[in-house]
Amino acid sequence: MKRALITGVTGQDGAYLAKFLMSKGYEVYGTYRRLSTPNFWRLNYLGIMRKVNLISMDLNDTTSIMESIEISQPDEIYHLAAQSFVGASFEQPIATGEVTGLATTRMLEAILKRDKDIKFYNASTSELYGNSSSGPLDEATPFKPQSPYATAKLYSYWMTRLYRDAYGLFAANGILFNHESPIRGLEFVTRKITNAIAKIKLGIEKKVILGNIESFRDWGYAPDYVEGMWKILQNETPEDFVLATGETHSVKEFLSLSCEIAGLAMDDVLEVSSSLKRPLEVHYLVGNPSKAEVELNWTHRMEFRDLVKEMTEEDIARWDSFINGKPVIWDAQHYDDNNNIIKTRYKMDA
Ligand code: NAP
């Protein structure tokens, strides 16, 4: 039986990947960070909480990383843990550099010291491209990061390549375009929209407040993408791959479709606030997944409309259950979409 270690198993991709690898017969180990209240809701939601071997690991501590590898004895490591939100990276650029950038080198060093045969997947991102080109973007397109998050990920991308080239590790980057699901974090715009639309539909909220609604993103479905991660590590040689749908849609289109599915009029619910805009914006991303399609036989399955539908309907069903006193496994009851959290770094003109 193969063994996999997933860092960030409590996140969207970590949870889906754990479930996917179990379906392939893997023994799955997952790391989480110790918090006062552990964040295991996604593992519970997917019904795998008791099947994942959980290891508390600190990404800033090489000893802790070595210990996780020692315990799990993995054939494959999927390094997903990161401060993954672009907006927060402007507020905490140094912490983002540590966790999203430098921690990848700690992981690679640990592999080099412990067992050079462990295969390593690094979670790279389409944010690396910034506004470098209007695309479609592929493995050969130059990078031009536009946020502390993307800059930290760029470092992490190159360290993964460096350990592959310099030390012969099987280390590969998946350059993944945005992928969403009903277990996406609430701070990300897609889930922020579907959660707010569900609340408006049920009369709990009146408005969804958004920043830049003219950004375009290539949005896929997270379960499709975790399969791609696995395929990247099953390839004969360690290589970097773009995973994308090849289609792009604006935030406004996402909102409009979510409203249509919920039976609401977009103009009645949308409020745009420039205070939510970032110091630098990535305007338009669309990927070219041809290499993964040809060499890995990977393709996305879920289309944009179905993705928005699943997310919107799931959030409506959750809120409906919640207000009717039925049990729901989710995150949203503790989260206020239109909260007054103060942006420490980039409060723009309101
Ligand atoms: P996510 O839901 O935000 O999950 C991030 C994971 O990292 C969570 O398990 C989180 O733990 C953990 N984490 C955050 N800060 C940490 C810290 N200081 N120490 C230890 N663990 C920490 O992100 P995702 O969507 O699953 O994405 C997985 C990876 O792919 C990330 O590296 C992300 O940057 C990258 N990526 C995502 C996308 C996308 O569209 N989803 C696209 C390209 C690349 P908690 O649960 O405790 O917060």
mmCIF file of all heavy atoms in Angstrom, residues 111-146:
data_model
loop_
_atom_site.group_PDB
_atom_site.id
_atom_site.type_symbol
_atom_site.label_atom_id
_atom_site.label_comp_id
_atom_site.label_asym_id
_atom_site.label_seq_id
_atom_site.Cartn_x
_atom_site.Cartn_y
_atom_site.Cartn_z
ATOM 1 N N ILE A 111 13.332 16.221 2.846
ATOM 2 C CA ILE A 111 13.323 15.064 1.934
ATOM 3 C C ILE A 111 14.760 14.671 1.578
ATOM 4 O O ILE A 111 15.134 13.488 1.596
ATOM 5 C CB ILE A 111 12.511 15.385 0.652
ATOM 6 C CG1 ILE A 111 11.033 15.530 0.994
ATOM 7 C CG2 ILE A 111 12.728 14.327 -0.419
ATOM 8 C CD1 ILE A 111 10.167 16.000 -0.156
ATOM 9 N N LEU A 112 15.556 15.681 1.275
ATOM 10 C CA LEU A 112 16.956 15.435 0.903
ATOM 11 C C LEU A 112 17.697 14.702 2.028
ATOM 12 O O LEU A 112 18.475 13.780 1.790
ATOM 13 C CB LEU A 112 17.621 16.790 0.630
ATOM 14 C CG LEU A 112 18.914 16.806 -0.152
ATOM 15 C CD1 LEU A 112 18.726 16.218 -1.542
ATOM 16 C CD2 LEU A 112 19.423 18.246 -0.272
ATOM 17 N N LYS A 113 17.421 15.093 3.253
ATOM 18 C CA LYS A 113 18.123 14.497 4.390
ATOM 19 C C LYS A 113 17.582 13.114 4.731
ATOM 20 O O LYS A 113 18.322 12.218 5.125
ATOM 21 C CB LYS A 113 17.977 15.397 5.636
ATOM 22 C CG LYS A 113 18.530 16.791 5.437
ATOM 23 C CD LYS A 113 19.752 17.049 6.315
ATOM 24 C CE LYS A 113 20.644 18.151 5.807
ATOM 25 N NZ LYS A 113 20.004 19.453 5.696
ATOM 26 N N ARG A 114 16.263 12.941 4.577
ATOM 27 C CA ARG A 114 15.628 11.698 5.045
ATOM 28 C C ARG A 114 15.596 10.588 4.011
ATOM 29 O O ARG A 114 15.999 9.465 4.261
ATOM 30 C CB ARG A 114 14.161 11.958 5.448
ATOM 31 C CG ARG A 114 13.939 12.338 6.838
ATOM 32 C CD ARG A 114 12.985 11.432 7.596
ATOM 33 N NE ARG A 114 13.329 10.027 7.711
ATOM 34 C CZ ARG A 114 14.146 9.501 8.587
ATOM 35 N NH1 ARG A 114 14.775 10.250 9.435
ATOM 36 N NH2 ARG A 114 14.346 8.192 8.621
ATOM 37 N N ASP A 115 15.055 10.964 2.818
ATOM 38 C CA ASP A 115 14.834 9.912 1.821
ATOM 39 C C ASP A 115 14.631 10.555 0.453
ATOM 40 O O ASP A 115 13.541 11.061 0.142
ATOM 41 C CB ASP A 115 13.581 9.107 2.227
ATOM 42 C CG ASP A 115 13.264 8.006 1.234
ATOM 43 O OD1 ASP A 115 13.997 7.883 0.231
ATOM 44 O OD2 ASP A 115 12.277 7.287 1.457
ATOM 45 N N LYS A 116 15.658 10.458 -0.380
ATOM 46 C CA LYS A 116 15.610 11.140 -1.679
ATOM 47 C C LYS A 116 14.616 10.508 -2.649
ATOM 48 O O LYS A 116 14.362 11.042 -3.727
ATOM 49 C CB LYS A 116 17.015 11.138 -2.304
ATOM 50 C CG LYS A 116 17.954 12.161 -1.710
ATOM 51 C CD LYS A 116 19.299 12.178 -2.402
ATOM 52 C CE LYS A 116 19.203 12.685 -3.830
ATOM 53 N NZ LYS A 116 20.486 12.801 -4.506
ATOM 54 N N ASP A 117 14.071 9.355 -2.280
ATOM 55 C CA ASP A 117 13.116 8.700 -3.189
ATOM 56 C C ASP A 117 11.680 9.205 -3.027
ATOM 57 O O ASP A 117 10.801 8.828 -3.798
ATOM 58 C CB ASP A 117 13.122 7.178 -2.961
ATOM 59 C CG ASP A 117 14.426 6.580 -3.460
ATOM 60 O OD1 ASP A 117 15.032 7.181 -4.367
ATOM 61 O OD2 ASP A 117 14.844 5.538 -2.914
ATOM 62 N N ILE A 118 11.450 10.020 -2.003
ATOM 63 C CA ILE A 118 10.084 10.541 -1.813
ATOM 64 C C ILE A 118 9.757 11.506 -2.952
ATOM 65 O O ILE A 118 10.534 12.409 -3.254
ATOM 66 C CB ILE A 118 9.960 11.288 -0.459
ATOM 67 C CG1 ILE A 118 10.228 10.331 0.706
ATOM 68 C CG2 ILE A 118 8.587 11.935 -0.326
ATOM 69 C CD1 ILE A 118 10.335 11.027 2.064
ATOM 70 N N LYS A 119 8.605 11.295 -3.578
ATOM 71 C CA LYS A 119 8.175 12.225 -4.630
ATOM 72 C C LYS A 119 7.494 13.432 -3.991
ATOM 73 O O LYS A 119 6.740 13.285 -3.021
ATOM 74 C CB LYS A 119 7.196 11.530 -5.579
ATOM 75 C CG LYS A 119 7.840 10.437 -6.410
ATOM 76 C CD LYS A 119 6.813 9.868 -7.366
ATOM 77 C CE LYS A 119 7.432 8.844 -8.284
ATOM 78 N NZ LYS A 119 6.423 8.288 -9.221
ATOM 79 N N PHE A 120 7.735 14.615 -4.574
ATOM 80 C CA PHE A 120 7.267 15.861 -3.953
ATOM 81 C C PHE A 120 6.440 16.676 -4.934
ATOM 82 O O PHE A 120 6.901 17.016 -6.025
ATOM 83 C CB PHE A 120 8.487 16.672 -3.502
ATOM 84 C CG PHE A 120 8.147 17.971 -2.822
ATOM 85 C CD1 PHE A 120 7.653 17.989 -1.516
ATOM 86 C CD2 PHE A 120 8.332 19.190 -3.477
ATOM 87 C CE1 PHE A 120 7.359 19.192 -0.876
ATOM 88 C CE2 PHE A 120 8.040 20.395 -2.842
ATOM 89 C CZ PHE A 120 7.547 20.395 -1.547
ATOM 90 N N TYR A 121 5.202 16.973 -4.520
ATOM 91 C CA TYR A 121 4.337 17.862 -5.308
ATOM 92 C C TYR A 121 4.286 19.216 -4.629
ATOM 93 O O TYR A 121 3.995 19.308 -3.433
ATOM 94 C CB TYR A 121 2.908 17.290 -5.381
ATOM 95 C CG TYR A 121 1.926 18.264 -6.018
ATOM 96 C CD1 TYR A 121 1.729 18.278 -7.395
ATOM 97 C CD2 TYR A 121 1.237 19.197 -5.246
ATOM 98 C CE1 TYR A 121 0.868 19.200 -7.975
ATOM 99 C CE2 TYR A 121 0.375 20.120 -5.823
ATOM 100 C CZ TYR A 121 0.193 20.103 -7.190
ATOM 101 O OH TYR A 121 -0.656 21.012 -7.771
ATOM 102 N N ASN A 122 4.533 20.274 -5.398
ATOM 103 C CA ASN A 122 4.440 21.627 -4.831
ATOM 104 C C ASN A 122 3.265 22.380 -5.445
ATOM 105 O O ASN A 122 3.098 22.417 -6.670
ATOM 106 C CB ASN A 122 5.737 22.396 -5.104
ATOM 107 C CG ASN A 122 5.709 23.770 -4.461
ATOM 108 O OD1 ASN A 122 5.326 23.910 -3.291
ATOM 109 N ND2 ASN A 122 6.087 24.783 -5.208
ATOM 110 N N ALA A 123 2.464 22.992 -4.555
ATOM 111 C CA ALA A 123 1.254 23.693 -5.004
ATOM 112 C C ALA A 123 1.606 25.073 -5.544
ATOM 113 O O ALA A 123 1.616 26.065 -4.818
ATOM 114 C CB ALA A 123 0.268 23.812 -3.836
ATOM 115 N N SER A 124 1.897 25.134 -6.838
ATOM 116 C CA SER A 124 2.123 26.427 -7.488
ATOM 117 C C SER A 124 0.791 26.978 -7.989
ATOM 118 O O SER A 124 -0.232 26.301 -7.917
ATOM 119 C CB SER A 124 3.100 26.283 -8.653
ATOM 120 O OG SER A 124 4.406 26.214 -8.183
ATOM 121 N N THR A 125 0.846 28.161 -8.553
ATOM 122 C CA THR A 125 -0.406 28.875 -8.802
ATOM 123 C C THR A 125 -0.349 29.763 -10.044
ATOM 124 O O THR A 125 0.719 30.279 -10.397
ATOM 125 C CB THR A 125 -0.732 29.769 -7.587
ATOM 126 O OG1 THR A 125 -1.749 30.705 -7.949
ATOM 127 C CG2 THR A 125 0.471 30.565 -7.109
ATOM 128 N N SER A 126 -1.483 29.979 -10.648
ATOM 129 C CA SER A 126 -1.591 30.893 -11.799
ATOM 130 C C SER A 126 -1.295 32.335 -11.396
ATOM 131 O O SER A 126 -1.035 33.171 -12.262
ATOM 132 C CB SER A 126 -2.996 30.812 -12.390
ATOM 133 O OG SER A 126 -3.963 31.053 -11.388
ATOM 134 N N GLU A 127 -1.354 32.630 -10.082
ATOM 135 C CA GLU A 127 -1.018 33.984 -9.636
ATOM 136 C C GLU A 127 0.440 34.330 -9.956
ATOM 137 O O GLU A 127 0.808 35.496 -9.972
ATOM 138 C CB GLU A 127 -1.281 34.148 -8.133
ATOM 139 C CG GLU A 127 -2.752 34.104 -7.745
ATOM 140 C CD GLU A 127 -3.556 35.331 -8.185
ATOM 141 O OE1 GLU A 127 -3.012 36.443 -8.134
ATOM 142 O OE2 GLU A 127 -4.712 35.165 -8.597
ATOM 143 N N LEU A 128 1.270 33.312 -10.220
ATOM 144 C CA LEU A 128 2.665 33.568 -10.601
ATOM 145 C C LEU A 128 2.733 34.457 -11.835
ATOM 146 O O LEU A 128 3.661 35.235 -12.008
ATOM 147 C CB LEU A 128 3.395 32.261 -10.944
ATOM 148 C CG LEU A 128 3.612 31.204 -9.866
ATOM 149 C CD1 LEU A 128 4.414 30.047 -10.452
ATOM 150 C CD2 LEU A 128 4.338 31.783 -8.667
ATOM 151 N N TYR A 129 1.744 34.319 -12.726
ATOM 152 C CA TYR A 129 1.802 35.040 -14.003
ATOM 153 C C TYR A 129 1.514 36.533 -13.845
ATOM 154 O O TYR A 129 1.944 37.335 -14.662
ATOM 155 C CB TYR A 129 0.785 34.459 -14.994
ATOM 156 C CG TYR A 129 1.068 33.028 -15.373
ATOM 157 C CD1 TYR A 129 0.220 32.003 -14.978
ATOM 158 C CD2 TYR A 129 2.188 32.704 -16.131
ATOM 159 C CE1 TYR A 129 0.475 30.683 -15.319
ATOM 160 C CE2 TYR A 129 2.453 31.382 -16.482
ATOM 161 C CZ TYR A 129 1.586 30.376 -16.068
ATOM 162 O OH TYR A 129 1.845 29.075 -16.411
ATOM 163 N N GLY A 130 0.754 36.891 -12.810
ATOM 164 C CA GLY A 130 0.374 38.292 -12.650
ATOM 165 C C GLY A 130 -0.287 38.806 -13.908
ATOM 166 O O GLY A 130 -1.160 38.150 -14.474
ATOM 167 N N ASN A 131 0.157 39.988 -14.363
ATOM 168 C CA ASN A 131 -0.409 40.531 -15.607
ATOM 169 C C ASN A 131 0.597 40.373 -16.743
ATOM 170 O O ASN A 131 0.667 41.195 -17.646
ATOM 171 C CB ASN A 131 -0.762 42.012 -15.408
ATOM 172 C CG ASN A 131 -1.834 42.182 -14.354
ATOM 173 O OD1 ASN A 131 -2.820 41.451 -14.353
ATOM 174 N ND2 ASN A 131 -1.645 43.132 -13.453
ATOM 175 N N SER A 132 1.381 39.278 -16.674
ATOM 176 C CA SER A 132 2.485 39.114 -17.625
ATOM 177 C C SER A 132 2.013 39.023 -19.075
ATOM 178 O O SER A 132 2.651 39.499 -19.987
ATOM 179 C CB SER A 132 3.312 37.901 -17.206
ATOM 180 O OG SER A 132 3.439 36.953 -18.190
ATOM 181 N N SER A 133 0.858 38.408 -19.291
ATOM 182 C CA SER A 133 0.364 38.263 -20.661
ATOM 183 C C SER A 133 -1.109 37.906 -20.567
ATOM 184 O O SER A 133 -1.567 37.385 -19.557
ATOM 185 C CB SER A 133 1.150 37.139 -21.344
ATOM 186 O OG SER A 133 0.360 36.465 -22.274
ATOM 187 N N SER A 134 -1.867 38.206 -21.611
ATOM 188 C CA SER A 134 -3.305 37.916 -21.516
ATOM 189 C C SER A 134 -3.595 36.440 -21.791
ATOM 190 O O SER A 134 -4.729 36.006 -21.654
ATOM 191 C CB SER A 134 -4.085 38.825 -22.452
ATOM 192 O OG SER A 134 -3.618 38.669 -23.744
ATOM 193 N N GLY A 135 -2.600 35.688 -22.212
ATOM 194 C CA GLY A 135 -2.749 34.243 -22.308
ATOM 195 C C GLY A 135 -3.301 33.777 -23.633
ATOM 196 O O GLY A 135 -3.336 34.541 -24.562
ATOM 197 N N PRO A 136 -3.682 32.505 -23.766
ATOM 198 C CA PRO A 136 -3.674 31.506 -22.692
ATOM 199 C C PRO A 136 -2.260 31.223 -22.173
ATOM 200 O O PRO A 136 -1.319 31.133 -22.958
ATOM 201 C CB PRO A 136 -4.260 30.267 -23.355
ATOM 202 C CG PRO A 136 -4.914 30.720 -24.611
ATOM 203 C CD PRO A 136 -4.214 31.974 -25.034
ATOM 204 N N LEU A 137 -2.161 31.088 -20.856
ATOM 205 C CA LEU A 137 -0.870 30.975 -20.187
ATOM 206 C C LEU A 137 -0.473 29.508 -20.056
ATOM 207 O O LEU A 137 -1.302 28.669 -19.682
ATOM 208 C CB LEU A 137 -0.982 31.614 -18.801
ATOM 209 C CG LEU A 137 -1.507 33.069 -18.826
ATOM 210 C CD1 LEU A 137 -2.193 33.430 -17.519
ATOM 211 C CD2 LEU A 137 -0.389 34.047 -19.121
ATOM 212 N N ASP A 138 0.787 29.238 -20.364
ATOM 213 C CA ASP A 138 1.224 27.838 -20.255
ATOM 214 C C ASP A 138 2.550 27.758 -19.503
ATOM 215 O O ASP A 138 3.022 28.744 -18.931
ATOM 216 C CB ASP A 138 1.295 27.169 -21.629
ATOM 217 C CG ASP A 138 2.330 27.818 -22.532
ATOM 218 O OD1 ASP A 138 3.259 28.481 -22.012
ATOM 219 O OD2 ASP A 138 2.217 27.662 -23.764
ATOM 220 N N GLU A 139 3.172 26.590 -19.540
ATOM 221 C CA GLU A 139 4.379 26.338 -18.741
ATOM 222 C C GLU A 139 5.543 27.217 -19.182
ATOM 223 O O GLU A 139 6.500 27.392 -18.426
ATOM 224 C CB GLU A 139 4.771 24.854 -18.830
ATOM 225 C CG GLU A 139 3.793 23.880 -18.198
ATOM 226 C CD GLU A 139 2.564 23.567 -19.066
ATOM 227 O OE1 GLU A 139 2.488 24.079 -20.207
ATOM 228 O OE2 GLU A 139 1.679 22.818 -18.618
ATOM 229 N N ALA A 140 5.480 27.760 -20.420
ATOM 230 C CA ALA A 140 6.603 28.561 -20.919
ATOM 231 C C ALA A 140 6.375 30.058 -20.758
ATOM 232 O O ALA A 140 7.279 30.856 -21.027
ATOM 233 C CB ALA A 140 6.832 28.237 -22.397
ATOM 234 N N THR A 141 5.207 30.469 -20.312
ATOM 235 C CA THR A 141 4.917 31.906 -20.165
ATOM 236 C C THR A 141 5.727 32.477 -18.994
ATOM 237 O O THR A 141 5.781 31.862 -17.924
ATOM 238 C CB THR A 141 3.413 32.122 -19.875
ATOM 239 O OG1 THR A 141 2.645 31.393 -20.823
ATOM 240 C CG2 THR A 141 3.047 33.591 -19.928
ATOM 241 N N PRO A 142 6.358 33.642 -19.198
ATOM 242 C CA PRO A 142 7.122 34.237 -18.081
ATOM 243 C C PRO A 142 6.209 34.646 -16.916
ATOM 244 O O PRO A 142 5.038 34.951 -17.123
ATOM 245 C CB PRO A 142 7.756 35.489 -18.690
ATOM 246 C CG PRO A 142 7.532 35.407 -20.143
ATOM 247 C CD PRO A 142 6.425 34.441 -20.415
ATOM 248 N N PHE A 143 6.778 34.630 -15.722
ATOM 249 C CA PHE A 143 6.020 34.994 -14.518
ATOM 250 C C PHE A 143 6.270 36.466 -14.162
ATOM 251 O O PHE A 143 7.361 36.985 -14.381
ATOM 252 C CB PHE A 143 6.462 34.135 -13.336
ATOM 253 C CG PHE A 143 6.238 32.656 -13.556
ATOM 254 C CD1 PHE A 143 7.271 31.742 -13.350
ATOM 255 C CD2 PHE A 143 5.006 32.168 -13.952
ATOM 256 C CE1 PHE A 143 7.074 30.377 -13.537
ATOM 257 C CE2 PHE A 143 4.792 30.807 -14.133
ATOM 258 C CZ PHE A 143 5.826 29.911 -13.924
ATOM 259 N N LYS A 144 5.250 37.081 -13.595
ATOM 260 C CA LYS A 144 5.402 38.474 -13.121
ATOM 261 C C LYS A 144 4.452 38.664 -11.946
ATOM 262 O O LYS A 144 3.381 39.248 -12.091
ATOM 263 C CB LYS A 144 5.070 39.436 -14.256
ATOM 264 C CG LYS A 144 5.526 40.834 -13.995
ATOM 265 C CD LYS A 144 5.190 41.738 -15.163
ATOM 266 C CE LYS A 144 5.476 43.180 -14.760
ATOM 267 N NZ LYS A 144 4.641 44.123 -15.469
ATOM 268 N N PRO A 145 4.829 38.143 -10.767
ATOM 269 C CA PRO A 145 3.895 38.144 -9.638
ATOM 270 C C PRO A 145 3.478 39.552 -9.215
ATOM 271 O O PRO A 145 4.264 40.491 -9.310
ATOM 272 C CB PRO A 145 4.692 37.457 -8.520
ATOM 273 C CG PRO A 145 6.112 37.477 -8.950
ATOM 274 C CD PRO A 145 6.125 37.543 -10.439
ATOM 275 N N GLN A 146 2.240 39.652 -8.734
ATOM 276 C CA GLN A 146 1.671 40.960 -8.388
ATOM 277 C C GLN A 146 1.221 41.029 -6.927
ATOM 278 O O GLN A 146 0.401 41.873 -6.584
ATOM 279 C CB GLN A 146 0.445 41.243 -9.278
ATOM 280 C CG GLN A 146 0.757 41.369 -10.745
ATOM 281 C CD GLN A 146 1.417 42.703 -11.080
ATOM 282 O OE1 GLN A 146 0.844 43.753 -10.895
ATOM 283 N NE2 GLN A 146 2.657 42.649 -11.536
#
